[in-house]
Amino acid sequence: MRQRLRILTAAGLSALLLAGCAASGEKQGQTEYEVYFLSGEDANGAAVSAQTCRVEEGEETIQVLLDQLLADPYESGQYSPFPQGTELRSWTLEDGVLTLDFSEPYGGISGVDLTLANSCLTLTLCQVEPVEAVRVTVEGETLPFQNADALRPADLLLSGAEEEPVYYTATLWFPRTTGEGLGVEYRQMMLIEGDSLVNMVFNAWLAGPVSESLAGPGVQDCFLLSGVAEGEVCYLDLSERFMDLLQGTESEVRLRLYSLVNTMASNLEGVSAVQLRVQGESLGSQAGLDLNLPLEADPTLEKS
């Protein structure tokens, strides 16, 4: 069951920090730290809980804690917040800010999941005395359209009680298998507070249609690096496999692009255009369309 987020009170945060956000104890030749993971069984409804990690004298503390974070937790009822295949590419510490550079799968998480993953990193690593804040990059780049500020324990949102789901009916546009225009399909989705509507609508579109008269996007293993709606424009930054969508005739490519643009515009209030990027880079000119600029939705492409 997903959990909603709430801001911890000052007292609650202090209790959490005292419980483990400073090195929790020392034995001969060892220092104990708390490593934070997702919690499924916390009696107080917390989203994260800790397991103890002992660092031997002479070991690189930050590296040991990072290795523990990327391994499966050994405590029952705890779960890793990181997508399968996530790897640490490098880390650097400068002026109290620990910058962690992860492989591409980390860029595929958003909303509550991203908040919780960042929380586990920050609570764990800010125990190390030189580390005051944690900053995350993916493949050397800050995720576009996201706040790049380093995180400190006092900045975090942590989980509270469960939230009732909200059901949302998404309007999804797909090319017709006849090659003539777009068709519309509706799908009910369950939203929890903190979920990203942009991400959920995109994933529903990516999964393709149910109707045999409609064709899917034709891309596999693609995911959304980041997405945000600002004013009339929805900004989407996509993984490299999105380029597969641009293969085919000009007509096929145009319909696939408009199927995504129309889908996002139909579900995000006030949005009338979509700016597409792949790993932060503009797509230039494709199928006669200038994708350096936001692409306006075109509802006239619907064909029955």
Side-chain angles (χ1 to χ4, degrees), residues 27 33 43 65 68 96 104 112 134 146 161 163 166 226 255 272:
K27 295 185 179 180
Y33 295 88
L65 295 179
Q68 287 288 313
E104 193 174 41
V112 173
V134 172
Q146 290 193 4
E163 178 75 359
V166 173
S226 64
L255 287 176
S272 61

Side-chain angles (χ1 to χ4, degrees), residues 30-275:
Q30 293 181 337
T31 302
E32 293 185 356
Y33 295 88
E34 301 299 328
V35 179
Y36 285 83
F37 294 97
L38 303 186
S39 174
E41 299 179 359
D42 191 282
N44 296 316
V48 298
S49 59
Q51 64 182 35
T52 300
C53 172
R54 294 180 176 87
V55 179
E56 301 288 342
E57 186 176 355
E59 290 185 311
E60 174 52 70
T61 302
I62 291 175
Q63 188 62 55
V64 172
L65 295 179
L66 285 167
D67 290 342
Q68 287 288 313
L69 279 163
L70 291 174
D72 290 331
Y74 59 77
E75 295 283 356
S76 63
Q78 292 184 335
Y79 309 93
S80 173
F82 310 113
Q84 188 173 7
T86 298
E87 296 179 355
L88 180 71
R89 299 175 74 246
S90 66
W91 62 266
T92 57
L93 179 61
E94 185 175 356
D95 296 329
V97 178
L98 178 64
T99 299
L100 307 173
D101 187 43
F102 288 102
S103 58
E104 193 174 41
Y106 197 97
I109 52 179
S110 61
V112 173
D113 295 329
L114 181 59
T115 299
L116 292 177
N118 287 341
S119 296
C120 290
L121 291 170
T122 304
L123 289 172
T124 298
L125 294 163
C126 284
Q127 298 170 81
V128 184
E129 187 174 350
V131 180
E132 299 174 2
V134 172
R135 177 174 177 266
V136 175
T137 61
V138 175
E139 300 288 343
E141 300 291 336
T142 300
L143 293 179
F145 321 125
Q146 290 193 4
N147 191 337
D149 291 342
L151 290 171
R152 294 166 174 78
D155 300 329
L156 298 178
L157 292 172
L158 296 176
S159 174
E162 295 177 355
E163 178 75 359
E164 289 297 320
V166 173
Y167 293 94
Y168 175 80
T169 301
T171 304
L172 307 176
W173 295 67
F174 299 104
R176 293 210 167 271
T177 54
T178 60
E180 299 178 358
L182 303 175
V184 174
E185 191 170 275
Y186 300 96
R187 192 166 307 160
Q188 191 175 64
M189 302 186 302
M190 185 176 72
L191 297 173
I192 302 294
E193 182 183 358
D195 283 339
S196 164
L197 182 59
V198 172
N199 193 65
M200 294 192 72
V201 169
F202 174 81
N203 287 333
W205 170 83
L206 189 66
V210 174
S211 172
E212 294 182 356
S213 67
L214 302 176
V219 290
Q220 296 181 349
D221 302 322
C222 172
F223 55 85
L224 189 62
L225 294 176
S226 64
V228 63
E230 294 182 350
E232 297 181 356
V233 179
C234 175
Y235 297 89
L236 300 180
D237 190 47
L238 303 143
S239 65
E240 190 173 3
R241 293 303 297 271
F242 184 79
M243 298 299 293
D244 292 347
L245 179 144
L246 305 178
Q247 305 301 313
T249 67
E250 181 173 299
S251 176
E252 290 170 340
V253 172
R254 287 176 66 92
L255 287 176
R256 289 176 194 148
L257 288 170
Y258 275 110
S259 74
L260 174 56
V261 171
N262 283 10
T263 293
M264 304 311 295
S266 294
N267 293 283
L268 304 174
E269 185 176 358
V271 168
S272 61
V274 175
Q275 175 70 71

